[in-house]
Amino acid sequence: QVQLVESGGDLVQPGGSLRLSCAASGTIFSINGMGWFRQAPGKQRELVAAMTSGGTRNYADSVKGRFTISRDNAKNTVYLQMNSLKPEDTAVYYCNLRIATVTSQARAYWGQGTQVTVSS
């Protein structure tokens, strides 16, 4: 009923920038929460950035000041702008949206993941 499609992952040099997109489609009534997670090789999946429907944001200390989470309500799309990228940002990034439909209560949906590689 609801599907998330991620895009924007790429190979980029240290200091470069990328913008990840997470587009939701389906019978969406409301998006109540938005978040980006990442999982690097040998590490546990971690929360990178999150935002409530009211606009409250929080970031992992490792990305604070470099990453920005935002949204386009008209397009049901959430973005992660990543600047000043470092090799330690290399990971698979996953979008997670809490979505309510007309016929179901809110629950979490995951994107398919997109690879970000920061390397010279």
Side-chain angles (χ1 to χ4, degrees), residues 24 44 46 53 65 72 79 86 99 114 117:
Q44 195 168 341
E46 64 174 344
S53 59
D72 185 333
Y79 303 96
K86 305 174 180 179
I99 297 173
T114 184
T117 302

Side-chain angles (χ1 to χ4, degrees), residues 26-120:
T27 56
I28 298 169
F29 179 77
S30 64
I31 300 176
N32 305 127
M34 296 139 275
W36 287 94
F37 294 74
R38 69 185 182 188
Q39 189 163 20
K43 296 184 65 178
Q44 195 168 341
R45 186 174 298 185
E46 64 174 344
L47 177 67
V48 175
M51 183 169 62
T52 68
S53 59
T56 300
R57 297 172 170 89
N58 67 81
Y59 299 93
D61 288 341
S62 59
V63 308
K64 196 169 298 182
R66 300 187 297 119
F67 290 12
T68 303
I69 185 171
S70 62
R71 61 193 161 183
D72 185 333
N73 292 338
K75 296 181 178 180
N76 285 326
T77 300
V78 178
Y79 303 96
L80 184 67
Q81 179 66 46
M82 305 184 295
N83 299 324
S84 302
L85 283 162
K86 305 174 180 179
E88 52 262 44
D89 295 319
T90 296
V92 178
Y93 285 71
Y94 298 90
C95 177
N96 180 275
L97 304 184
R98 179 162 286 274
I99 297 173
T101 70
V102 174
T103 58
S104 67
Q105 299 295 314
R107 77 169 187 86
Y109 293 85
W110 289 92
Q112 82 280 6
T114 184
Q115 176 71 49
V116 172
T117 302
V118 185
S119 176
S120 298

Side-chain angles (χ1 to χ4, degrees), residues 14-30:
S17 297
L18 287 173
R19 188 182 71 167
L20 307 183
S21 298
C22 178
S25 62
T27 56
I28 298 169
F29 179 77
S30 64

